[in-house]
Amino acid sequence: MTRQPAVAGRAEQLLSSSVISTAPVAGGDVSSAVKLRLSSGRTAFLKSLTQAPPQFFEREAAGLRWLAEVDDGVATPDVLAVDSDCLILGWVETTRPGQDAASAFGRALARTHLAGAPEWGADADGYIGRLPLANQPLPTWAEFYVERRITPYLRVARDKGLVAAADADLIERAAARVGEVVPDEPAARLHGDLWNGNVLWGQEDRVVVIDPAAYGGHREVDLAMLTLFGLPQLPHVMAAYDEVAPLGDDWQERLGIHQLFPLLVHACLFGGGYGARAAKIAARYL
């Protein structure tokens, strides 16, 4: 049994429980992560970041709570404490993905989306990974997608030489067609960063989502991200989703236009071939 005094002490300042032991958790791209065993018998997860950007953890906690408001919607970990430098959540014990869990997750995700949002955007800006995420509302999904989701990251990628000028032009032109390509629907309650790494397959067929970048957007955005980066048991997830919230015709053919956003985010964060991949997808819509 080990105990990191500084980490344990910080957790104890925020929780009404002593920390018996701590253990580092691997896998975080942005924050340091630690598993905590508390004197109450509970296990918790602490993520921290020295000199975190303003409201970094507070916005994540708000997103988790917003998603958790939906009865029978997607499960989220309990928010035990949050401050400017850290977030403490209930621990999620994971297991292998199964078909029953996937179907339950698909239905829950559909209910979360159907719960809706008051506008295209959110009442506060947030973060996706360590990048700022602008959420100021706009009147239509097409305007919001171009101005808040494509333009900021395409500009950064282009300025840093992470996407070629010709590829940037393809992406811009394709994004401008989102209003023609994507059906008009009410704003959905989105997780916003729903890739495989943010989906935890918990015990007793309970799937838990973490690290949201939540806002009101088009529901196909979450589905496009699940598809882009792969999710175990995805066909079962989508079949169950469609039972609760039937998808429009040709929804799979539209996923690519929604995938431009996460690919540009990845280009800004990691470089590599993500910009070229976005351009290749964009060309399908021209």
Side-chain angles (χ1 to χ4, degrees), residues 35-99:
K35 183 179 182 180
L36 308 173
R37 191 156 74 88
L38 308 179
S39 61
S40 63
R42 185 164 195 174
T43 305
F45 174 81
L46 181 148
K47 56 193 300 187
S48 61
L49 180 62
T50 303
Q51 296 182 332
Q55 295 290 303
F56 185 77
F57 291 113
E58 291 91 339
R59 295 314 307 158
E60 181 179 342
L64 289 169
R65 289 169 174 145
W66 188 54
L67 295 174
E69 290 175 1
V70 182
D71 290 339
D72 296 325
V74 289
T76 60
D78 294 335
V79 177
L80 304 182
V82 63
D83 208 341
S84 60
D85 62 331
C86 67
L87 174 64
I88 305 177
L89 305 173
W91 180 262
V92 179
E93 197 65 43
T94 58
T95 188
R96 293 172 60 86
Q99 292 184 13

